Amino acid sequence: MAITLTEAAARHVSRYMERRGKGLGVRLGVKTSGCSGLAYQLEYVDEAAPEDVVFENHGVKLLIDPKSLAYLDGTELDFVREGLNEGFKFSNPNERDRCGCGESFRV
């Protein structure tokens, strides 16, 4: 099982943690939400929970709770700029459908 960060995502996370002045990495998870059933959750963390599974890419730690890992296996997290918008983009091979608003997905 693996989850990866692109160089662009790692740069963005590193810059943000530098501005914060602290941080261990980013926690990625899923929660029940939206019209398709699941939504991604992303938060900066200062310490790992005992049950977290930790991946490291380009010097940035990505922490995943075991329950979310099955939904996220193989996911690549990127940071993209499209026109005036920028944000994280999830490329998840387990996704079968995504709602029209882009807020939730189904596996």
Side-chain angles (χ1 to χ4, degrees), residues 31-40 95 97-106:
K31 64 179 180 175
T32 303
S33 179
C35 45
S36 290
L38 298 170
Y40 295 108
E95 241 182 63
D97 193 23
R98 185 177 280 256
C99 73
C101 65
E103 292 296 318
S104 62
F105 67 98
R106 184 166 34 114

Side-chain angles (χ1 to χ4, degrees), residues 69-75 92-97 105-107:
L69 191 55
Y71 299 107
L72 298 170
D73 186 31
T75 297
N92 184 345
N94 304 303
E95 241 182 63
R96 297 293 170 245
D97 193 23
F105 67 98
R106 184 166 34 114
V107 292

Side-chain angles (χ1 to χ4, degrees), residues 6-98:
T6 64
E7 285 185 52
R11 272 193 312 272
H12 181 76
V13 169
S14 294
R15 277 191 224 126
Y16 187 81
M17 286 194 314
E18 283 175 23
R19 279 188 262 148
R20 272 181 92 220
K22 62 181 178 178
L24 175 66
V26 176
R27 177 172 287 117
L28 176 60
V30 295
K31 64 179 180 175
T32 303
S33 179
C35 45
S36 290
L38 298 170
Y40 295 108
Q41 255 185 321
L42 190 65
E43 64 183 352
Y44 291 91
V45 293
D46 298 326
E47 60 183 65
E51 67 274 6
D52 282 336
V53 178
V54 181
F55 299 93
E56 189 166 340
N57 296 114
H58 308 289
V60 173
K61 289 185 179 172
L62 190 57
L63 297 85
I64 314 294
D65 70 271
K67 291 179 183 176
S68 295
L69 191 55
Y71 299 107
L72 298 170
D73 186 31
T75 297
E76 180 183 70
L77 182 60
D78 195 7
F79 188 79
V80 297
R81 288 187 174 91
E82 295 172 348
L84 298 175
N85 299 317
E86 64 180 19
F88 287 103
K89 180 179 178 184
F90 302 89
S91 297
N92 184 345
N94 304 303
E95 241 182 63
R96 297 293 170 245
D97 193 23
R98 185 177 280 256

